[in-house]
Amino acid sequence: MASEQLQHVTPPLHIHVKMAAERCDTVNMDPDIEFLSDDELEREADGYKEQGNAFYIQKDYAEAFNYYTKAIDMCPKNASYYGNRAATLMMLCRYREALEDSQQAVRLDNSFMKGHLREGKCHLSLGNAMAASRCFQKVLELEPDNSQAQQEVSCCSGA
């Protein structure tokens, strides 16, 4: 009889999980982060980026992706972190995701040449030569002597 009463009083497990999830939405799960200054956050994020760069050089793109994502989580307003993750996603042939990261990078910094270049390459890989050409033209506005963009523009116009 007592166990029957206990079952009626104790909510099912999925209710506990839902309540915990709701608390996670409003509470930072890493309390140390809220005590870091902006400079400390940037230094930590830059450390993640450097680790990502090391994995990228070793062609361990999955690990590089993880570290660039950590850098973005720490400093979501840094265009180069999105640009690096876009390059990694391109190496993993995940062009749609790479396109999103490239676009985010240039939204954050419209003068970020590599972001425009990667966005163009993603558009090209996804079959959109016209959008790619616009991106490569933007690169040439930023860097008129950029040979990679010049070559890509000529390829797009010939396509």
Side-chain angles (χ1 to χ4, degrees), residues 19-29:
M19 288 168 41
E22 288 170 355
R23 284 194 304 269
C24 290
D25 290 342
T26 57
V27 176
N28 186 345
M29 295 306 288

Side-chain angles (χ1 to χ4, degrees), residues 99 116-139 149 152-153 155-157 159:
L99 177 62
H116 290 288
L117 193 59
R118 290 179 183 135
E119 181 183 357
K121 289 181 176 193
C122 289
H123 278 302
L124 213 50
S125 295
L126 294 168
N128 191 346
M130 192 178 279
S133 182
R134 283 193 298 270
C135 295
F136 299 136
Q137 290 292 347
K138 179 64 179 177
V139 172
E152 296 289 1
V153 165
C155 287
C156 288
S157 60

Side-chain angles (χ1 to χ4, degrees), residues 8-61:
H8 294 303
V9 174
T10 306
L13 180 60
H14 72 279
I15 302 269
H16 288 293
V17 171
K18 182 178 182 211
M19 288 168 41
E22 288 170 355
R23 284 194 304 269
C24 290
D25 290 342
T26 57
V27 176
N28 186 345
M29 295 306 288
D30 188 352
D32 294 335
I33 286 181
E34 56 190 68
F35 297 115
L36 295 177
S37 70
D38 287 347
D39 286 344
E40 290 170 320
L41 281 172
E42 285 178 30
R43 273 195 300 278
E44 193 164 331
D46 208 46
Y48 287 136
K49 182 198 78 163
E50 293 303 323
Q51 288 176 286
N53 290 350
F55 283 111
Y56 188 93
I57 289 167
Q58 296 170 10
K59 298 184 183 343
D60 187 345
Y61 302 118

Side-chain angles (χ1 to χ4, degrees), residues 63-74:
E63 241 355 85
F65 172 84
N66 291 334
Y67 279 98
Y68 293 140
T69 299
K70 288 179 183 185
I72 289 168
D73 290 343
M74 297 294 288

